[in-house]
Amino acid sequence: MSRVYFILLVLLCFPLFFLFGKEEEDILHILKTTETINFDGICDDPLWTTMVPLELKMFRPNHGQSSSEKSEIFITFDDQYLYVAGRMYYENGSRIIATTKKRDPNTGGNDNIGILLDTFNDNESALCFETHPTGLRSDFAISNDAQAIPPARPFERSWNTFWDIETTIQGDVWHVEMRIPFSSLRFQDNDGEVIMGMIIWRVIASVQEFAVYPLVTNAFGTFGIWKPSQAQKILLKGVKRSKPLYLTPYVLAGIEQFTDMNVDESQYVKHDDYTINAGLDLKYPITSNMTLDLTINTDFAQVEVDDQMVNLTRFSLFFPEKRQFFLERSSLFTVNTGYMDQLFYSRRIGLYEGDIIPIYGGLRLVGRAGKYDIGFMDMQTGEHDYYNEDEDSIEHIPSTNYGLLRLRKQVINPRSYMGGMVTSKIDVHGKYNINTAVDGIFNPFRNDYLTFNYIQTFDADVNYNNDFFDHGKFYINWENRSNVGFSYELFLSRAGNYYDPQMGFELMEDYSRLFGSLSYGWVYNEENKKILSQQIMGWVWINKRNSDWTTDVQKISVGYNFSMKSGFRGNFMLIDSDEELDEIFELSDDVYFPVGKYHYTTLEGSFSTPSNKLISLRAMLNAGTYYDGKILNLGPAEITFRPSSSVNLGLDYQYSLVTIEERDQKFTSHLARLRTEFTFTTKLSLSMFFQYSSNDNFGVNNVRFRYNPREGNDLYIVYSDEYNTHLTRETPTLPFTETRKLVVKYTYTFIIGNKREKREKHIINYRHN
């Protein structure tokens, strides 16, 4: 029977190869200049005065109309840099909103200008460079054509590279000059000719306006301006890509104070642990489209701590990756197998149940050759002893090697791919877990995408029984990605009993799943309309156990969301659930749900106020019945206060209450976070993060000082401590401070082989073709 399913899958996908041929696309020719550009943040060079500016059209709120403010955007390049320059005019310069100087801010409500570059012209991934009137640098990577896969977003804001920005405000005009080295970009060139995708945007925050070039469709919502598949193709002739070697050594010194129980277990005593460490990162562009990254004695002490979460489900929580080494073109290693499930989850390397496992080193090679994407990664971690509090035992984790190999090819049209990936996890004792995958994504129609993959597990602890469905997982999905008019999604997946991607993320085991959704959306472009968009939707999710074909999860939902042109947004969803528990679900030590069948209904909603105000609010609600009890979950509710570009404050709070009258059980949780950011300049900042969880009787403080005079040159001073709040819950009495750590880390990047060539002073304007 399993072979029949496989043959049907192949027959379904095979005709797609013949649906479309090569697509012809309009190309904008960006011509080269040999004129020396005075890079001072004032767009008044003679070069700019001879060029015809790109015309930005309103993307939001009134799509297709002329922008409410004039913009003059110019783009050119020389042997070393891609230049973006602009003059942004304001009827009244006092309406400029700039509330932060922070590197890579993750906040809205600010005036900004940015450029998206689909450097590989793959219509799926892109690099973005953005700045605000304060002159900050914000760069981020986009994956999956900006199509979000909840709960993750398609933006990697922790990704950084080398580039420069200068800005100046003169009266009612904001001047911007960006300088992006070609050595910071990855692209394919054909005898010096390079084709990329490009989108340029400007945000006028005071009126919630997005202006964009080219005028991309608003059928995909706000994310449409960051979709590489919608980008304007540009041609650059005479690109001379240098190949500098980036060497980034670091030195680190720190002290950690922690508490441990004494020999007779009568009290806790303090211990001090001093650390001196060093390591090295290397980046080398082997070719213009292939980059090698090497890391030795890897350290991520400067990475921001994870937010604590309250888990009210019986499934694992998903945390985003923040470590720089794993982020560049990370989408290449993504094989999504349904909802949050994925074959490779980089947080499996160097992290285990919240503990940090030492990484001896590793290398990564990513790039593109013709229509082929190529990726390789190999990492070696050290051994580690993990203390399991629930079982009061020590779990020894041996030194382990993690490997990935990825290959895929563009087929049918520029937005379709087919390929495969292999992941391997092998420890020093020879115990292995290997997964092989074949996958594809096809765009047969305008907004329709067909995605499929099949993955096979080979594990040292499991004898292979020749039933590839029992040891594997398949996933097939058909979706229409538009937010205007009818859209839909239908996917089917099945994970076998022995499917076990130990380098991936899986919510459930040994199941079959069916999901279907249907929605209808409206977008209003008329000036006299206050509403921007609205959408009604419905979906159904059915999960069955493969062992007995019992339906263990069935959810049916209807919902509505809206967005106002003023910036208010809301979302409401009614979910009817049926679940069958085959084992006890313990929400906490005092609250549990026995084996059995349950029916419950919940109302979920969210609401947010405009982000361009001094104070903004975002809140969520979940209320209703919950298994055989009741639930009220308020939050997380986030209040943001931005009094100036140097001070930003954020307060998050979440209240959770679960009551079960029949068993007289009650679960109450308070989770609070306070974020404070002081950005003295674009190079000097101090951030403080405090969080407290009543459920864990635990709190975390993190204070991070950063001095960043230029990209690749950083001084970090990080202080963190973890503390107990209910000290008498155990015997002997717990210490208030459990751990306390102070770390000083300095990195400096040496750029070798990046000499700027002498150039003649000659201007070549760009033109449209």
Side-chain angles (χ1 to χ4, degrees):
M1 181 62 72
S2 61
R3 290 183 175 85
V4 174
Y5 290 146
F6 182 72
I7 292 172
L8 288 174
L9 178 64
V10 172
L11 290 176
L12 177 64
C13 300
F14 186 73
L16 294 173
F17 285 96
F18 304 97
L19 286 178
F20 292 94
K22 182 178 179 181
E23 295 185 354
E24 296 294 332
E25 298 178 285
D26 293 331
I27 296 179
L28 171 68
H29 292 245
I30 308 297
L31 298 190
K32 188 175 181 179
T33 181
T34 54
E35 177 72 15
T36 299
I37 295 175
N38 184 20
F39 189 70
D40 59 357
I42 302 176
C43 190
D44 62 355
D45 290 63
L47 171 64
W48 308 130
T49 62
T50 63
M51 302 174 72
V52 178
L54 298 175
E55 182 182 7
L56 273 60
K57 287 287 190 178
M58 191 183 299
F59 176 82
R60 195 183 79 178
N62 304 314
H63 187 266
Q65 296 188 16
S66 297
S67 176
S68 64
E69 303 281 11
K70 180 182 176 182
S71 303
E72 295 178 339
I73 309 298
F74 311 97
I75 182 169
T76 188
F77 70 100
D78 60 20
D79 286 340
Q80 191 174 13
Y81 299 108
L82 178 71
Y83 294 93
V84 181
R87 292 188 287 262
M88 277 62 68
Y89 295 85
Y90 291 84
E91 185 177 339
N92 184 351
S94 64
R95 298 174 63 187
I96 295 175
I97 298 178
T99 65
T100 181
K101 305 183 190 80
K102 181 184 178 183
R103 178 79 156 95
D104 298 324
N106 192 20
T107 57
N110 284 269
D111 285 63
N112 65 74
I113 181 174
I115 181 171
L116 174 149
L117 294 172
D118 177 8
T119 58
F120 279 113
N121 193 28
D122 63 10
N123 297 280
E124 185 181 62
S125 59
L127 306 177
C128 295
F129 303 86
E130 177 187 84
T131 189
H132 295 193
T134 56
L136 63 79
R137 282 181 300 159
S138 176
D139 44 16
F140 54 96
I142 290 178
S143 60
N144 196 39
D145 197 26
Q147 189 73 13
I149 303 175
R153 293 169 64 88
F155 305 106
E156 297 286 3
R157 287 201 169 269
S158 296
W159 174 81
N160 292 323
T161 192
F162 294 84
W163 63 292
D164 299 301
I165 182 72
E166 292 289 343
T167 70
T168 303
I169 297 177
Q170 293 183 333
D172 296 331
V173 184
W174 172 32
H175 295 260
V176 170
E177 289 184 328
M178 292 185 185
R179 187 172 65 184
I180 306 170
F182 284 112
S183 58
S184 293
L185 304 176
R186 313 289 174 258
F187 54 83
Q188 289 196 104
D189 71 280
N190 183 11
D191 293 329
E193 294 189 4
V194 177
I195 295 179
M196 300 182 184
M198 180 191 75
I199 296 175
I200 295 176
W201 71 88
R202 175 191 178 184
V203 174
I204 307 170
S206 61
V207 291
Q208 297 283 342
E209 180 181 325
F210 282 69
V212 66
Y213 175 86
L215 180 61
V216 299
T217 176
N218 60 354
F220 302 104
T222 302
F223 281 7
I225 66 172
W226 295 298
K227 292 182 75 68
S229 64
Q230 305 299 307
Q232 169 67 55
K233 301 304 177 185
I234 61 174
L235 173 64
L236 294 80
K237 291 185 177 181
V239 174
K240 295 182 179 180
R241 167 72 184 273
S242 61
K243 297 194 296 182
L245 173 66
Y246 297 92
L247 287 175
T248 308
Y250 79 85
V251 291
L252 178 149
I255 178 173
E256 179 179 9
Q257 187 178 82
F258 62 94
T259 57
D260 198 4
M261 203 176 294
N262 60 10
V263 177
D264 59 6
E265 299 186 350
S266 60
Q267 64 178 351
Y268 286 87
V269 294
K270 293 182 179 180
H271 303 276
D272 292 335
D273 184 21
Y274 296 90
T275 301
I276 297 178
N277 208 348
L280 176 69
D281 290 337
L282 177 150
K283 181 184 289 288
Y284 180 67
I286 299 174
T287 65
S288 63
N289 56 358
M290 195 74 64
T291 303
L292 173 68
D293 288 277
L294 176 68
T295 179
I296 300 173
N297 199 23
T298 314
D299 176 80
F300 300 108
Q302 76 279 10
V303 175
E304 295 179 353
V305 297
D306 290 322
D307 291 347
Q308 290 180 289
M309 298 184 185
V310 179
N311 191 358
L312 299 175
T313 73
R314 54 194 177 102
F315 308 116
S316 300
L317 293 174
F318 183 96
F319 291 91
E321 179 62 84
K322 298 180 180 180
R323 297 171 295 177
Q324 173 74 14
F325 182 84
F326 296 102
L327 293 178
E328 184 173 344
R329 237 187 151 217
S330 59
S331 60
L332 177 60
F333 297 104
T334 298
V335 177
N336 180 266
T337 60
Y339 191 42
M340 292 184 290
D341 298 346
Q342 46 194 287
L343 175 58
F344 174 59
Y345 181 44
S346 58
R347 288 177 63 101
R348 299 296 183 208
I349 303 175
L351 296 169
Y352 184 80
E353 299 293 341
D355 281 13
I356 297 176
I357 298 176
I359 298 178
Y360 292 150
L363 61 88
R364 195 178 73 147
L365 182 70
V366 293
R368 189 173 176 91
K371 292 187 176 182
Y372 287 91
D373 286 313
I374 302 169
F376 173 77
M377 185 186 299
D378 191 80
M379 306 290 290
Q380 185 71 40
T381 62
E383 60 181 0
H384 179 73
D385 288 328
Y386 168 71
Y387 174 62
N388 189 323
E389 292 185 2
D390 295 334
E391 300 180 4
D392 192 26
S393 62
I394 299 294
E395 180 180 350
H396 180 72
I397 301 172
S399 178
T400 304
N401 180 267
Y402 297 86
L404 290 95
L405 179 62
R406 176 63 154 152
L407 180 67
R408 67 174 192 171
K409 181 184 180 183
Q410 191 179 77
V411 296
I412 301 178
N413 58 41
R415 294 169 298 280
S416 301
Y417 291 87
M418 189 165 183
M421 189 163 82
V422 178
T423 68
S424 69
K425 175 185 174 183
I426 306 174
D427 67 26
V428 291
H429 305 300
K431 184 177 179 180
Y432 62 85
N433 178 269
I434 298 173
N435 288 265
T436 60
V438 58
D439 71 315
I441 179 169
F442 301 100
N443 176 219
F445 313 117
R446 183 178 178 184
N447 297 326
D448 283 62
Y449 287 80
L450 172 66
T451 304
F452 77 91
N453 52 64
Y454 176 76
I455 305 170
Q456 189 81 38
T457 295
F458 302 91
D459 193 279
D461 294 335
V462 179
N463 292 324
Y464 191 77
N465 59 14
N466 292 322
D467 185 343
F468 63 86
F469 268 173
D470 210 23
H471 292 261
K473 179 178 183 179
F474 78 83
Y475 167 77
I476 184 168
N477 176 300
W478 188 292
E479 65 177 329
N480 180 287
R481 295 180 175 179
S482 175
N483 290 338
V484 177
F486 280 108
S487 62
Y488 42 82
E489 181 178 10
L490 178 67
F491 81 70
L492 175 67
S493 64
R494 182 188 187 277
N497 185 36
Y498 301 116
Y499 174 66
D500 182 22
Q502 294 181 14
M503 289 175 60
F505 185 91
E506 283 287 314
L507 280 179
M508 308 178 74
E509 298 177 351
D510 194 21
Y511 68 90
S512 296
R513 179 184 299 161
L514 175 67
F515 176 87
S517 69
L518 180 66
S519 63
Y520 192 89
W522 297 264
V523 173
Y524 303 93
N525 300 320
E526 301 85 353
E527 281 191 66
N528 60 344
K529 297 287 187 180
K530 293 184 178 181
I531 189 169
L532 176 65
S533 65
Q534 59 180 332
Q535 186 180 48
I536 56 175
M537 70 206 76
W539 55 263
V540 59
W541 173 21
I542 301 174
N543 245 76
K544 287 185 174 290
R545 299 191 193 102
N546 294 331
S547 57
D548 56 10
W549 207 238
T550 300
T551 301
D552 64 341
V553 177
Q554 177 176 293
K555 294 180 179 289
I556 301 175
S557 172
V558 293
Y560 169 76
N561 66 63
F562 70 90
S563 178
M564 307 298 293
K565 293 181 179 180
S566 60
F568 288 95
R569 293 180 177 83
N571 173 54
F572 307 97
M573 190 179 301
L574 185 67
I575 305 175
D576 188 75
S577 304
D578 290 282
E579 290 196 37
E580 181 173 342
L581 300 178
D582 60 350
E583 59 182 28
I584 295 176
F585 168 31
E586 294 183 351
L587 183 61
S588 68
D589 294 338
D590 303 320
V591 178
Y592 67 91
F593 301 98
V595 172
K597 294 183 179 181
Y598 298 89
H599 176 83
Y600 57 95
T601 304
T602 56
L603 174 66
E604 296 184 4
S606 66
F607 178 77
S608 62
T609 64
S611 59
N612 60 350
K613 304 300 182 182
L614 175 65
I615 299 176
S616 58
L617 169 68
R618 183 180 61 184
M620 301 179 69
L621 168 70
N622 180 6
T625 54
Y626 184 67
Y627 294 93
D628 58 347
K630 297 179 180 179
I631 186 172
L632 175 63
N633 188 47
L634 299 174
E638 180 180 357
I639 300 175
T640 303
F641 177 54
R642 299 180 294 182
S644 75
S645 62
S646 298
V647 180
N648 277 231
L649 303 174
L651 175 63
D652 297 7
Y653 175 72
Q654 181 176 352
Y655 171 74
S656 304
L657 172 66
V658 176
T659 57
I660 308 171
E661 295 181 359
E662 183 179 335
R663 294 190 294 278
D664 193 26
Q665 295 179 355
K666 182 178 179 180
F667 170 83
T668 305
S669 172
H670 302 271
L671 178 62
R673 307 185 190 99
L674 175 64
R675 293 179 173 87
T676 305
E677 293 177 356
F678 299 97
T679 49
F680 309 106
T681 69
T682 57
K683 301 176 181 180
L684 188 65
S685 63
L686 176 68
S687 62
M688 295 182 287
F689 178 48
F690 311 98
Q691 56 182 336
Y692 161 73
S693 171
S694 66
N695 185 38
D696 297 323
N697 295 299
F698 200 69
V700 175
N701 299 330
N702 183 264
V703 180
R704 191 176 73 151
F705 169 87
R706 182 185 185 186
Y707 177 55
N708 173 225
R710 68 175 182 84
E711 187 62 39
N713 186 6
D714 284 286
L715 172 66
Y716 290 97
I717 302 176
V718 182
Y719 171 80
S720 60
D721 62 2
E722 301 174 353
Y723 56 91
N724 297 294
T725 56
H726 186 192
L727 306 184
T728 58
R729 68 180 187 269
E730 293 182 11
T731 302
T733 300
L734 294 170
F736 176 73
T737 301
E738 188 161 297
T739 63
R740 180 177 293 158
K741 182 184 294 186
L742 177 65
V743 173
V744 179
K745 181 178 180 180
Y746 180 72
T747 65
Y748 187 90
T749 299
F750 297 90
I751 306 177
I752 302 172
N754 193 30
K755 296 181 179 179
R756 187 168 186 172
E757 298 179 3
K758 293 183 179 180
R759 299 165 295 169
E760 295 178 68
K761 291 187 176 181
H762 180 65
I763 299 174
I764 306 178
N765 297 331
Y766 73 88
R767 65 180 182 273
H768 293 269
N769 182 19

